[in-house]
């Protein structure tokens, strides 16, 4: 397949994501280091593309490194307490200089429209102003933080008005008070509070790393807020702590999805938003229900859940003894310690494939996204086992699996071990998906 065919294939596969993102509100957060990086011009191009595809964008930029550069150039001493900058009058002047310069720089990049460039014909309007109302941190433990502040509120209606006009809204890490004062704010505070106030569909954070990393340094592809809270307890770097706290706050306050991707990669942002596997870390808002690997204590609950479908002939009957032997294959969703959904993954390593089986949702809990959550968890488990495809045999749920990206395949395409076990009388149809 040549490069043009690959491009067409990718564009077609991105269509569902384009449709899903159109009209949604994304808050995109990037630091002063990201702005200085050579790849920032490509990020600007991607921002223009998102806007062209109908995404409503709020950009929140940082300025820490630029503020420090100005203070160093003027030989102004920097003072911190509890890892928070104390902003005196001289420091505030540097804050205003840095944020004002960056705002103009970003405005200029978003205005470019040279022929044969990705920005040609974009005609982007950028709106910035006094959307963030701030308050002083004040005096804590005898320390006066002076012009360092916190977000008091975000003018969500004002921002939404600009977004509805088709503008990109640009927020700086400064806020204004009713007394006419200016306060130096944390980038993460502004981004999180903006996402919450706007009820944004996504908070996207651009970092130097490829995403959130576990304690072994491996990329975490997807997780819930509880996992981020655990990372926070293990994190010692203050800037990373601020990032994690912003993600946790957004997840707890209703922002459905937070993404963490690298600003050093040319393709990371678009891969994260328009491909199935993404490029960084997706943090989903925690559900009140708990999804986890099944344990031997769950055997009774699973048997009770699947019994009605076994009686109807929808599922192959499993004995308690067999289920106990295979319990490590199962994933369950629990609500108040009661199993309301389950699914299993049976690997066929020789074929680099796996079977999703026994996918059951309690009748009282159907209609949500529990089935989708389960198969996504099982797909991730298959990837961890280095499987390249998964399949399912079903007699009644064909359309649902097709909606989840599965395609019907011939029985003779199944792994040999599964073909030998195939029950001709059930006449199950096979559906497969590459992962």
């Amino acid at each position: 397949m040549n490069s043009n065919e690959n491009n067409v294939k990718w564009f077609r596969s991105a269509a569902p994501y384009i449709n899903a993102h159109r009209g949604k509100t994304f808050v995109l957060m990037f630091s002063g280091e990201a702005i200085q990086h050579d790849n920032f011009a490509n990020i600007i191009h991607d921002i223009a593309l998102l806007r062209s595809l109908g995404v409503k964008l709020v950009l929140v930029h940082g300025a820490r490194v630029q503020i420090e550069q100005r203070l160093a150039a003027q030989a102004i001493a920097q003072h911190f307490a509890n890892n928070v900058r104390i902003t005196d009058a001289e420091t505030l002047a540097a804050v205003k200089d840095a944020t004002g310069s960056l705002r103009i720089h970003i405005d200029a990049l978003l205005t470019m429209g040279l022929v044969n460039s990705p920005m040609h014909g974009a005609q982007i309007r950028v709106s910035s102003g006094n959307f963030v109302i701030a308050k002083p941190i004040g005096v804590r433990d005898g320390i006066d933080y002076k012009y360092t502040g916190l977000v008091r509120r975000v003018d969500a209606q004002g921002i939404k008005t600009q977004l509805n006009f088709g503008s990109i809204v640009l927020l700086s890490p400064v806020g204004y008070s009713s007394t006419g004062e200016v306060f130096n704010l944390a980038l993460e505070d502004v981004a999180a509070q903006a996402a919450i106030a706007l009820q944004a569909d996504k908070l996207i954070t651009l970092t130097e790393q490829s995403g959130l990393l576990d304690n072994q340094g491996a990329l975490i592809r997807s997780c819930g807020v509880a996992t981020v809270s655990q990372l926070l307890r293990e994190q010692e770097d203050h800037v990373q702590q601020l990032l994690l706290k912003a993600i946790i706050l957004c997840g707890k306050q209703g922002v459905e999805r937070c993404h963490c991707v690298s600003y050093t990669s040319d393709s990371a942002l678009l891969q994260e938003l328009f491909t199935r596997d993404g490029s960084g870390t997706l943090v989903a808002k925690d559900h009140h229900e708990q999804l986890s690997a099944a344990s031997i204590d769950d055997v009774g609950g699973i048997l009770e859940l699947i019994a009605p479908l076994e009686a109807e002939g929808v599922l192959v009957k499993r004995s308690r003894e067999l289920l106990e032997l295979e319990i490590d294959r199962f994933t369950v969703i629990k609500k108040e310690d009661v199993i309301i959904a389950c699914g299993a993954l049976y690997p066929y390593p020789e074929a680099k494939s796996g079977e999703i089986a026994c996918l059951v949702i309690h009748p009282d809990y159907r209609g949500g996204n529990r089935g989708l959550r389960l198969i996504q968890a099982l797909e991730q488990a298959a990837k961890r086992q280095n499987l390249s495809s998964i399949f399912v045999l079903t007699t009644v749920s064909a359309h649902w699996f097709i909606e989840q990206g599965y395609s019907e395949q011939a029985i003779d395409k199944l792994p040999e071990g599964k073909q030998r076990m195939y029950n001709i009388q059930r006449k199950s149809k096979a559906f497969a998906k590459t992962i």
Side-chain angles (χ1 to χ4, degrees):
M1 185 178 292
N2 61 39
S3 60
N4 286 335
E5 290 174 329
N6 281 328
N7 291 339
V8 170
K9 184 178 180 181
W10 182 91
F11 194 57
R12 286 171 176 163
S13 67
Y17 301 97
I18 294 172
N19 293 330
H21 297 333
R22 185 179 295 114
K24 299 298 177 62
T25 300
F26 296 175
V27 175
L28 186 63
M29 178 184 97
F30 47 89
S31 65
E33 288 85 350
I35 299 172
Q36 289 187 164
H37 196 273
D38 292 340
N39 190 53
F40 189 66
N42 293 321
I43 293 173
I44 289 291
H45 297 160
D46 293 344
I47 288 170
L49 176 59
L50 290 175
R51 186 260 185 190
S52 298
L53 294 174
V55 178
K56 298 178 180 180
L57 290 169
V58 177
L59 311 182
V60 187
H61 76 85
R64 287 191 186 99
V65 64
Q66 288 81 5
I67 292 169
E68 291 174 354
Q69 290 168 354
R70 282 161 172 76
L71 293 174
Q74 299 174 50
I76 298 173
Q78 302 185 53
H79 301 286
F80 295 84
N82 300 312
N83 290 315
V84 177
R85 183 187 300 279
I86 298 173
T87 308
D88 57 18
E90 285 186 310
T91 302
L92 183 62
V95 169
K96 292 178 179 179
D97 183 21
T99 55
S101 297
L102 288 173
R103 183 179 293 181
I104 293 171
H105 176 59
I106 296 168
D107 280 347
L109 292 175
L110 288 169
T111 307
M112 286 193 304
L114 296 176
V115 176
N116 296 325
S117 79
M119 300 289 289
H120 180 60
Q123 296 182 332
I124 294 172
R125 294 191 299 271
V126 182
S127 176
S128 55
N130 59 341
F131 295 118
V132 179
I133 310 305
K135 61 182 179 181
I137 288 181
V139 179
R140 296 184 179 180
D141 298 325
I143 299 171
D144 186 354
Y145 288 85
K146 300 182 180 180
Y147 294 102
T148 301
L150 299 169
V151 175
R152 181 187 294 275
R153 65 178 177 86
V154 173
D155 180 8
Q157 188 56 53
I159 292 175
K160 289 178 180 179
T161 298
Q162 296 302 316
L163 294 176
N164 290 336
F165 284 154
S167 299
I168 289 177
V169 173
L170 177 62
L171 303 180
S172 297
V174 293
Y176 310 92
S177 72
S178 57
T179 59
E181 294 176 295
V182 179
F183 289 96
N184 179 25
L185 306 177
L187 159 68
E188 296 80 5
D189 187 24
V190 176
Q193 295 299 335
I196 293 167
L198 292 167
Q199 298 179 310
D201 299 283
K202 294 181 185 292
L203 169 68
I204 303 172
T205 67
L206 298 175
T207 67
E208 186 175 10
Q209 299 173 333
S210 54
L212 300 182
L213 309 180
D214 63 20
N215 55 17
Q216 302 298 318
L219 175 65
I220 300 172
R221 286 290 184 181
S222 62
C223 64
V225 176
T227 299
V228 183
S229 297
Q230 178 61 38
L231 293 176
L232 177 60
R233 288 190 288 270
E234 300 168 353
Q235 182 60 249
E236 297 181 356
D237 181 81
H238 179 62
V239 174
Q240 282 296 307
Q241 288 175 348
L242 292 176
L243 170 65
L244 297 176
K245 287 179 180 178
I247 293 173
I248 292 168
L249 180 62
C250 285
K252 289 183 176 180
Q253 295 295 323
V255 179
E256 290 287 339
R257 297 285 187 270
C258 295
H259 299 260
C260 189
V261 297
S262 174
Y263 61 71
T264 68
S265 169
D266 181 12
S267 60
L269 180 58
L270 296 185
Q271 283 185 12
E272 180 69 12
L273 293 175
F274 295 102
T275 66
R276 182 176 65 239
D277 294 332
S279 67
T281 301
L282 164 63
V283 181
K285 183 179 70 173
D286 284 339
H287 298 264
H288 295 301
E289 302 156 359
Q290 181 183 6
L291 185 149
S292 64
S295 70
I296 195 68
D297 295 330
D298 297 322
V299 169
I302 294 174
L303 286 171
E304 184 178 346
L305 178 67
I306 66 178
L309 294 180
E310 289 178 340
E312 294 174 13
V314 175
L315 292 180
V316 176
K317 187 172 179 59
R318 286 173 170 80
S319 67
R320 175 179 286 272
E321 292 76 15
L322 178 61
L323 188 55
E324 288 176 352
L325 290 173
E326 298 180 343
I327 194 62
D328 61 332
R329 307 291 192 197
F330 278 76
T331 297
V332 296
I333 296 178
K334 295 181 181 179
K335 185 178 180 67
E336 297 178 353
D337 293 328
V338 175
I339 295 174
I340 62 172
C342 71
L345 173 68
Y346 292 86
Y348 292 83
E350 72 284 353
K352 296 189 71 65
S353 185
E355 178 187 10
I356 289 181
C358 202
L359 190 68
V360 180
I361 314 296
H362 190 283
D364 293 344
Y365 295 94
R366 293 172 187 167
N369 65 347
R370 296 173 184 87
L372 180 58
R373 289 174 61 201
L374 271 173
I375 64 167
Q376 287 176 340
L378 295 169
E379 288 172 5
Q380 289 298 320
K383 290 179 182 179
R384 290 194 294 270
Q385 297 181 44
N386 296 317
L387 305 180
S388 57
S389 67
I390 49 178
F391 67 91
V392 61
L393 296 176
T394 182
T395 58
V396 297
S397 303
H399 284 199
W400 186 83
F401 281 102
I402 291 172
E403 290 171 0
Q404 312 314 319
Y406 289 73
S407 301
E408 187 171 1
Q409 70 170 28
I411 301 301
D412 60 11
K413 299 296 184 181
L414 297 175
E416 291 185 8
K418 188 62 184 178
Q419 289 185 48
R420 290 193 295 269
M421 298 169 59
Y422 181 74
N423 187 331
I424 297 177
Q425 282 71 35
R426 287 179 56 80
K427 297 183 180 179
S428 300
K429 292 185 177 181
F431 295 84
K433 178 180 180 180
T434 301
I435 56 174

